[in-house]
Amino acid sequence: MRPPKAIMIELTSTQRKYLRKLGHHIDPLIIVGKQGMTDMLVRAVSQELEHHELVKIRFNDFKDDKRELIPEIERRTGSHVVGTIGHVALVYKQHPEEEKRKIVFPD
């Protein structure tokens, strides 16, 4: 039985700005390579999001297709893209269990 998915509300511009600030100093955890969009890539992104909540994805290959791939990653992982710079996308997904959340938005 699968755990219930977290209900994501739309992020405000202030929350997106805060997440971009946090993401500035982290290294990409996911690299999109020669195989492009695969189920394994989606699983890897989902696992990293569950562990870290905020993940950088670097496009080493498929750079020209990233505008189509980023929304697909967002849809398949239930995450939010909070920003892209060059060939790097920053995605966020709030942990479903409140006590395990690592990112707390300022009031």
Side-chain angles (χ1 to χ4, degrees), residues 3-40:
K5 288 191 174 187
I7 298 173
M8 286 292 295
I9 57 170
E10 262 320 296
L11 295 171
T12 66
S13 61
T14 304
Q15 289 170 327
R16 286 179 188 276
K17 184 177 179 181
Y18 178 72
L19 291 170
R20 284 192 303 269
K21 179 182 168 187
L22 292 177
H24 181 74
H25 299 288
I26 63 174
D27 293 322
L29 294 175
I30 303 292
I31 308 295
V32 178
K34 292 181 169 101
Q35 295 186 352
M37 177 66 75
T38 63
D39 289 339
M40 188 168 31

mmCIF file of all heavy atoms in Angstrom, residues 3-40:
data_model
loop_
_atom_site.group_PDB
_atom_site.id
_atom_site.type_symbol
_atom_site.label_atom_id
_atom_site.label_comp_id
_atom_site.label_asym_id
_atom_site.label_seq_id
_atom_site.Cartn_x
_atom_site.Cartn_y
_atom_site.Cartn_z
ATOM 1 N N PRO A 3 1.934 5.173 0.563
ATOM 2 C CA PRO A 3 1.571 6.227 1.501
ATOM 3 C C PRO A 3 0.801 7.316 0.770
ATOM 4 O O PRO A 3 0.971 7.498 -0.437
ATOM 5 C CB PRO A 3 2.918 6.747 1.999
ATOM 6 C CG PRO A 3 3.899 6.336 0.962
ATOM 7 C CD PRO A 3 3.358 5.105 0.310
ATOM 8 N N PRO A 4 -0.060 8.043 1.467
ATOM 9 C CA PRO A 4 -0.817 9.105 0.802
ATOM 10 C C PRO A 4 0.128 10.193 0.306
ATOM 11 O O PRO A 4 1.122 10.504 0.941
ATOM 12 C CB PRO A 4 -1.743 9.641 1.902
ATOM 13 C CG PRO A 4 -1.127 9.200 3.173
ATOM 14 C CD PRO A 4 -0.345 7.957 2.885
ATOM 15 N N LYS A 5 -0.196 10.726 -0.859
ATOM 16 C CA LYS A 5 0.619 11.807 -1.415
ATOM 17 C C LYS A 5 0.347 13.097 -0.657
ATOM 18 O O LYS A 5 -0.765 13.357 -0.220
ATOM 19 C CB LYS A 5 0.303 12.012 -2.889
ATOM 20 C CG LYS A 5 0.822 10.899 -3.749
ATOM 21 C CD LYS A 5 0.724 11.278 -5.195
ATOM 22 C CE LYS A 5 1.395 10.217 -6.025
ATOM 23 N NZ LYS A 5 1.485 10.580 -7.404
ATOM 24 N N ALA A 6 1.396 13.889 -0.533
ATOM 25 C CA ALA A 6 1.246 15.183 0.123
ATOM 26 C C ALA A 6 0.414 16.093 -0.774
ATOM 27 O O ALA A 6 0.560 16.080 -1.990
ATOM 28 C CB ALA A 6 2.609 15.812 0.373
ATOM 29 N N ILE A 7 -0.436 16.844 -0.170
ATOM 30 C CA ILE A 7 -1.231 17.803 -0.920
ATOM 31 C C ILE A 7 -0.412 19.084 -1.013
ATOM 32 O O ILE A 7 -0.089 19.695 -0.004
ATOM 33 C CB ILE A 7 -2.583 18.065 -0.236
ATOM 34 C CG1 ILE A 7 -3.379 16.761 -0.193
ATOM 35 C CG2 ILE A 7 -3.343 19.156 -0.949
ATOM 36 C CD1 ILE A 7 -4.648 16.852 0.607
ATOM 37 N N MET A 8 -0.044 19.441 -2.232
ATOM 38 C CA MET A 8 0.779 20.627 -2.432
ATOM 39 C C MET A 8 -0.100 21.812 -2.794
ATOM 40 O O MET A 8 -0.924 21.711 -3.684
ATOM 41 C CB MET A 8 1.777 20.388 -3.568
ATOM 42 C CG MET A 8 2.930 19.490 -3.210
ATOM 43 S SD MET A 8 4.075 20.209 -2.020
ATOM 44 C CE MET A 8 4.728 21.573 -2.946
ATOM 45 N N ILE A 9 0.088 22.853 -2.065
ATOM 46 C CA ILE A 9 -0.580 24.089 -2.428
ATOM 47 C C ILE A 9 0.358 24.855 -3.355
ATOM 48 O O ILE A 9 1.544 24.584 -3.413
ATOM 49 C CB ILE A 9 -0.922 24.920 -1.171
ATOM 50 C CG1 ILE A 9 0.342 25.204 -0.357
ATOM 51 C CG2 ILE A 9 -1.948 24.208 -0.323
ATOM 52 C CD1 ILE A 9 0.153 26.192 0.741
ATOM 53 N N GLU A 10 -0.169 25.796 -4.086
ATOM 54 C CA GLU A 10 0.672 26.627 -4.936
ATOM 55 C C GLU A 10 1.610 27.441 -4.065
ATOM 56 O O GLU A 10 1.211 27.962 -3.029
ATOM 57 C CB GLU A 10 -0.182 27.580 -5.770
ATOM 58 C CG GLU A 10 -0.481 27.182 -7.174
ATOM 59 C CD GLU A 10 0.633 26.531 -7.962
ATOM 60 O OE1 GLU A 10 1.674 27.159 -8.235
ATOM 61 O OE2 GLU A 10 0.455 25.376 -8.334
ATOM 62 N N LEU A 11 2.838 27.536 -4.500
ATOM 63 C CA LEU A 11 3.825 28.324 -3.761
ATOM 64 C C LEU A 11 3.643 29.799 -4.077
ATOM 65 O O LEU A 11 3.385 30.169 -5.228
ATOM 66 C CB LEU A 11 5.238 27.890 -4.147
ATOM 67 C CG LEU A 11 5.633 26.468 -3.771
ATOM 68 C CD1 LEU A 11 6.967 26.124 -4.408
ATOM 69 C CD2 LEU A 11 5.706 26.311 -2.274
ATOM 70 N N THR A 12 3.808 30.627 -3.078
ATOM 71 C CA THR A 12 3.762 32.068 -3.288
ATOM 72 C C THR A 12 5.098 32.531 -3.850
ATOM 73 O O THR A 12 6.096 31.802 -3.782
ATOM 74 C CB THR A 12 3.484 32.816 -1.970
ATOM 75 O OG1 THR A 12 4.602 32.617 -1.090
ATOM 76 C CG2 THR A 12 2.201 32.330 -1.305
ATOM 77 N N SER A 13 5.143 33.730 -4.379
ATOM 78 C CA SER A 13 6.400 34.254 -4.913
ATOM 79 C C SER A 13 7.443 34.400 -3.801
ATOM 80 O O SER A 13 8.632 34.181 -4.024
ATOM 81 C CB SER A 13 6.174 35.584 -5.632
ATOM 82 O OG SER A 13 5.656 36.540 -4.742
ATOM 83 N N THR A 14 6.998 34.723 -2.588
ATOM 84 C CA THR A 14 7.913 34.836 -1.448
ATOM 85 C C THR A 14 8.508 33.477 -1.095
ATOM 86 O O THR A 14 9.698 33.370 -0.811
ATOM 87 C CB THR A 14 7.169 35.421 -0.227
ATOM 88 O OG1 THR A 14 6.587 36.671 -0.608
ATOM 89 C CG2 THR A 14 8.094 35.625 0.937
ATOM 90 N N GLN A 15 7.685 32.432 -1.130
ATOM 91 C CA GLN A 15 8.178 31.089 -0.847
ATOM 92 C C GLN A 15 9.153 30.622 -1.926
ATOM 93 O O GLN A 15 10.190 30.035 -1.626
ATOM 94 C CB GLN A 15 7.009 30.103 -0.731
ATOM 95 C CG GLN A 15 6.180 30.301 0.512
ATOM 96 C CD GLN A 15 4.905 29.484 0.491
ATOM 97 O OE1 GLN A 15 4.301 29.250 -0.554
ATOM 98 N NE2 GLN A 15 4.475 29.048 1.678
ATOM 99 N N ARG A 16 8.840 30.919 -3.182
ATOM 100 C CA ARG A 16 9.749 30.557 -4.276
ATOM 101 C C ARG A 16 11.095 31.274 -4.117
ATOM 102 O O ARG A 16 12.150 30.677 -4.317
ATOM 103 C CB ARG A 16 9.136 30.906 -5.632
ATOM 104 C CG ARG A 16 8.030 29.981 -6.040
ATOM 105 C CD ARG A 16 7.454 30.418 -7.396
ATOM 106 N NE ARG A 16 6.277 29.669 -7.713
ATOM 107 C CZ ARG A 16 6.264 28.476 -8.282
ATOM 108 N NH1 ARG A 16 7.397 27.903 -8.601
ATOM 109 N NH2 ARG A 16 5.137 27.860 -8.536
ATOM 110 N N LYS A 17 11.043 32.530 -3.760
ATOM 111 C CA LYS A 17 12.268 33.305 -3.562
ATOM 112 C C LYS A 17 13.097 32.707 -2.422
ATOM 113 O O LYS A 17 14.314 32.573 -2.531
ATOM 114 C CB LYS A 17 11.913 34.765 -3.263
ATOM 115 C CG LYS A 17 13.101 35.672 -3.137
ATOM 116 C CD LYS A 17 12.660 37.104 -2.919
ATOM 117 C CE LYS A 17 13.856 38.019 -2.760
ATOM 118 N NZ LYS A 17 13.450 39.407 -2.530
ATOM 119 N N TYR A 18 12.436 32.325 -1.346
ATOM 120 C CA TYR A 18 13.111 31.713 -0.204
ATOM 121 C C TYR A 18 13.769 30.392 -0.612
ATOM 122 O O TYR A 18 14.922 30.121 -0.263
ATOM 123 C CB TYR A 18 12.103 31.493 0.932
ATOM 124 C CG TYR A 18 12.684 30.830 2.144
ATOM 125 C CD1 TYR A 18 13.553 31.519 2.997
ATOM 126 C CD2 TYR A 18 12.369 29.509 2.452
ATOM 127 C CE1 TYR A 18 14.090 30.894 4.119
ATOM 128 C CE2 TYR A 18 12.900 28.891 3.575
ATOM 129 C CZ TYR A 18 13.755 29.585 4.398
ATOM 130 O OH TYR A 18 14.288 28.977 5.502
ATOM 131 N N LEU A 19 13.058 29.574 -1.393
ATOM 132 C CA LEU A 19 13.601 28.293 -1.846
ATOM 133 C C LEU A 19 14.779 28.494 -2.798
ATOM 134 O O LEU A 19 15.760 27.747 -2.741
ATOM 135 C CB LEU A 19 12.508 27.454 -2.510
ATOM 136 C CG LEU A 19 11.426 26.931 -1.568
ATOM 137 C CD1 LEU A 19 10.273 26.340 -2.368
ATOM 138 C CD2 LEU A 19 11.994 25.909 -0.593
ATOM 139 N N ARG A 20 14.701 29.485 -3.673
ATOM 140 C CA ARG A 20 15.829 29.773 -4.564
ATOM 141 C C ARG A 20 17.055 30.192 -3.757
ATOM 142 O O ARG A 20 18.180 29.815 -4.079
ATOM 143 C CB ARG A 20 15.459 30.851 -5.585
ATOM 144 C CG ARG A 20 14.565 30.336 -6.700
ATOM 145 C CD ARG A 20 14.454 31.319 -7.852
ATOM 146 N NE ARG A 20 13.957 32.617 -7.443
ATOM 147 C CZ ARG A 20 12.672 32.964 -7.430
ATOM 148 N NH1 ARG A 20 11.747 32.092 -7.791
ATOM 149 N NH2 ARG A 20 12.306 34.165 -7.058
ATOM 150 N N LYS A 21 16.833 30.948 -2.693
ATOM 151 C CA LYS A 21 17.930 31.363 -1.809
ATOM 152 C C LYS A 21 18.567 30.137 -1.154
ATOM 153 O O LYS A 21 19.794 30.015 -1.112
ATOM 154 C CB LYS A 21 17.397 32.321 -0.739
ATOM 155 C CG LYS A 21 18.423 32.788 0.247
ATOM 156 C CD LYS A 21 17.777 33.696 1.279
ATOM 157 C CE LYS A 21 18.705 33.933 2.441
ATOM 158 N NZ LYS A 21 18.039 34.668 3.510
ATOM 159 N N LEU A 22 17.739 29.209 -0.662
ATOM 160 C CA LEU A 22 18.264 27.988 -0.055
ATOM 161 C C LEU A 22 18.999 27.129 -1.086
ATOM 162 O O LEU A 22 20.014 26.510 -0.783
ATOM 163 C CB LEU A 22 17.128 27.160 0.567
ATOM 164 C CG LEU A 22 16.421 27.726 1.784
ATOM 165 C CD1 LEU A 22 15.295 26.785 2.203
ATOM 166 C CD2 LEU A 22 17.388 27.940 2.935
ATOM 167 N N GLY A 23 18.476 27.078 -2.280
ATOM 168 C CA GLY A 23 19.043 26.233 -3.322
ATOM 169 C C GLY A 23 20.316 26.759 -3.941
ATOM 170 O O GLY A 23 21.039 26.016 -4.601
ATOM 171 N N HIS A 24 20.609 28.022 -3.716
ATOM 172 C CA HIS A 24 21.797 28.630 -4.324
ATOM 173 C C HIS A 24 23.069 27.875 -3.958
ATOM 174 O O HIS A 24 23.961 27.717 -4.787
ATOM 175 C CB HIS A 24 21.903 30.101 -3.909
ATOM 176 C CG HIS A 24 23.079 30.798 -4.495
ATOM 177 N ND1 HIS A 24 23.128 31.171 -5.810
ATOM 178 C CD2 HIS A 24 24.260 31.174 -3.947
ATOM 179 C CE1 HIS A 24 24.293 31.759 -6.056
ATOM 180 N NE2 HIS A 24 24.994 31.764 -4.932
ATOM 181 N N HIS A 25 23.160 27.392 -2.747
ATOM 182 C CA HIS A 25 24.402 26.801 -2.250
ATOM 183 C C HIS A 25 24.448 25.273 -2.323
ATOM 184 O O HIS A 25 25.424 24.683 -1.885
ATOM 185 C CB HIS A 25 24.642 27.247 -0.805
ATOM 186 C CG HIS A 25 24.782 28.727 -0.685
ATOM 187 N ND1 HIS A 25 25.884 29.419 -1.118
ATOM 188 C CD2 HIS A 25 23.939 29.666 -0.206
ATOM 189 C CE1 HIS A 25 25.728 30.709 -0.905
ATOM 190 N NE2 HIS A 25 24.539 30.887 -0.354
ATOM 191 N N ILE A 26 23.408 24.642 -2.861
ATOM 192 C CA ILE A 26 23.450 23.184 -2.942
ATOM 193 C C ILE A 26 23.932 22.742 -4.321
ATOM 194 O O ILE A 26 23.791 23.463 -5.308
ATOM 195 C CB ILE A 26 22.080 22.533 -2.602
ATOM 196 C CG1 ILE A 26 21.004 22.943 -3.601
ATOM 197 C CG2 ILE A 26 21.670 22.838 -1.187
ATOM 198 C CD1 ILE A 26 19.674 22.230 -3.397
ATOM 199 N N ASP A 27 24.532 21.566 -4.352
ATOM 200 C CA ASP A 27 25.018 21.000 -5.606
ATOM 201 C C ASP A 27 23.920 20.157 -6.253
ATOM 202 O O ASP A 27 23.063 19.608 -5.552
ATOM 203 C CB ASP A 27 26.239 20.113 -5.352
ATOM 204 C CG ASP A 27 27.444 20.907 -4.874
ATOM 205 O OD1 ASP A 27 27.639 22.035 -5.376
ATOM 206 O OD2 ASP A 27 28.192 20.400 -4.012
ATOM 207 N N PRO A 28 23.973 20.018 -7.589
ATOM 208 C CA PRO A 28 22.988 19.163 -8.255
ATOM 209 C C PRO A 28 23.109 17.718 -7.765
ATOM 210 O O PRO A 28 24.210 17.161 -7.698
ATOM 211 C CB PRO A 28 23.358 19.264 -9.733
ATOM 212 C CG PRO A 28 24.123 20.535 -9.846
ATOM 213 C CD PRO A 28 24.839 20.700 -8.542
ATOM 214 N N LEU A 29 21.998 17.118 -7.382
ATOM 215 C CA LEU A 29 21.962 15.726 -6.944
ATOM 216 C C LEU A 29 21.569 14.794 -8.073
ATOM 217 O O LEU A 29 21.857 13.602 -8.035
ATOM 218 C CB LEU A 29 20.983 15.549 -5.781
ATOM 219 C CG LEU A 29 21.341 16.249 -4.476
ATOM 220 C CD1 LEU A 29 20.226 16.085 -3.453
ATOM 221 C CD2 LEU A 29 22.647 15.707 -3.917
ATOM 222 N N ILE A 30 20.891 15.325 -9.067
ATOM 223 C CA ILE A 30 20.408 14.525 -10.194
ATOM 224 C C ILE A 30 21.010 15.089 -11.480
ATOM 225 O O ILE A 30 20.981 16.302 -11.704
ATOM 226 C CB ILE A 30 18.868 14.576 -10.291
ATOM 227 C CG1 ILE A 30 18.209 14.113 -8.996
ATOM 228 C CG2 ILE A 30 18.370 13.787 -11.495
ATOM 229 C CD1 ILE A 30 18.390 12.659 -8.680
ATOM 230 N N ILE A 31 21.554 14.207 -12.293
ATOM 231 C CA ILE A 31 22.111 14.596 -13.584
ATOM 232 C C ILE A 31 21.299 13.900 -14.674
ATOM 233 O O ILE A 31 21.171 12.675 -14.664
ATOM 234 C CB ILE A 31 23.598 14.168 -13.715
ATOM 235 C CG1 ILE A 31 24.439 14.642 -12.523
ATOM 236 C CG2 ILE A 31 24.176 14.631 -15.044
ATOM 237 C CD1 ILE A 31 24.580 16.132 -12.382
ATOM 238 N N VAL A 32 20.750 14.690 -15.590
ATOM 239 C CA VAL A 32 20.032 14.119 -16.732
ATOM 240 C C VAL A 32 21.076 13.887 -17.811
ATOM 241 O O VAL A 32 21.684 14.824 -18.318
ATOM 242 C CB VAL A 32 18.917 15.059 -17.241
ATOM 243 C CG1 VAL A 32 18.227 14.452 -18.457
ATOM 244 C CG2 VAL A 32 17.918 15.336 -16.132
ATOM 245 N N GLY A 33 21.299 12.599 -18.116
ATOM 246 C CA GLY A 33 22.344 12.227 -19.061
ATOM 247 C C GLY A 33 21.783 11.708 -20.364
ATOM 248 O O GLY A 33 20.704 12.089 -20.797
ATOM 249 N N LYS A 34 22.533 10.791 -20.946
ATOM 250 C CA LYS A 34 22.229 10.282 -22.281
ATOM 251 C C LYS A 34 20.876 9.600 -22.409
ATOM 252 O O LYS A 34 20.283 9.593 -23.478
ATOM 253 C CB LYS A 34 23.324 9.310 -22.705
ATOM 254 C CG LYS A 34 24.645 9.986 -22.932
ATOM 255 C CD LYS A 34 25.684 8.980 -23.366
ATOM 256 C CE LYS A 34 26.909 9.690 -23.850
ATOM 257 N NZ LYS A 34 27.997 9.804 -23.028
ATOM 258 N N GLN A 35 20.382 8.996 -21.315
ATOM 259 C CA GLN A 35 19.117 8.277 -21.409
ATOM 260 C C GLN A 35 17.904 9.187 -21.287
ATOM 261 O O GLN A 35 16.788 8.779 -21.578
ATOM 262 C CB GLN A 35 19.061 7.180 -20.360
ATOM 263 C CG GLN A 35 20.111 6.116 -20.608
ATOM 264 C CD GLN A 35 19.992 4.953 -19.662
ATOM 265 O OE1 GLN A 35 19.225 4.986 -18.711
ATOM 266 N NE2 GLN A 35 20.762 3.919 -19.922
ATOM 267 N N GLY A 36 18.105 10.416 -20.832
ATOM 268 C CA GLY A 36 17.001 11.373 -20.757
ATOM 269 C C GLY A 36 15.961 10.998 -19.717
ATOM 270 O O GLY A 36 16.284 10.526 -18.636
ATOM 271 N N MET A 37 14.690 11.185 -20.071
ATOM 272 C CA MET A 37 13.581 10.939 -19.148
ATOM 273 C C MET A 37 13.278 9.451 -19.098
ATOM 274 O O MET A 37 12.782 8.876 -20.061
ATOM 275 C CB MET A 37 12.341 11.710 -19.604
ATOM 276 C CG MET A 37 11.122 11.468 -18.744
ATOM 277 S SD MET A 37 11.291 12.093 -17.089
ATOM 278 C CE MET A 37 11.079 13.822 -17.411
ATOM 279 N N THR A 38 13.602 8.838 -17.976
ATOM 280 C CA THR A 38 13.315 7.421 -17.770
ATOM 281 C C THR A 38 12.582 7.267 -16.440
ATOM 282 O O THR A 38 12.575 8.183 -15.616
ATOM 283 C CB THR A 38 14.607 6.582 -17.723
ATOM 284 O OG1 THR A 38 15.382 7.015 -16.600
ATOM 285 C CG2 THR A 38 15.419 6.718 -19.002
ATOM 286 N N ASP A 39 11.996 6.096 -16.244
ATOM 287 C CA ASP A 39 11.355 5.820 -14.961
ATOM 288 C C ASP A 39 12.386 5.852 -13.833
ATOM 289 O O ASP A 39 12.091 6.268 -12.724
ATOM 290 C CB ASP A 39 10.652 4.462 -14.979
ATOM 291 C CG ASP A 39 9.402 4.475 -15.852
ATOM 292 O OD1 ASP A 39 8.870 5.579 -16.110
ATOM 293 O OD2 ASP A 39 8.954 3.393 -16.262
ATOM 294 N N MET A 40 13.611 5.419 -14.137
ATOM 295 C CA MET A 40 14.668 5.439 -13.137
ATOM 296 C C MET A 40 15.014 6.876 -12.727
ATOM 297 O O MET A 40 15.232 7.153 -11.556
ATOM 298 C CB MET A 40 15.923 4.734 -13.666
ATOM 299 C CG MET A 40 16.969 4.560 -12.602
ATOM 300 S SD MET A 40 18.362 3.466 -12.976
ATOM 301 C CE MET A 40 18.606 3.594 -14.704
#
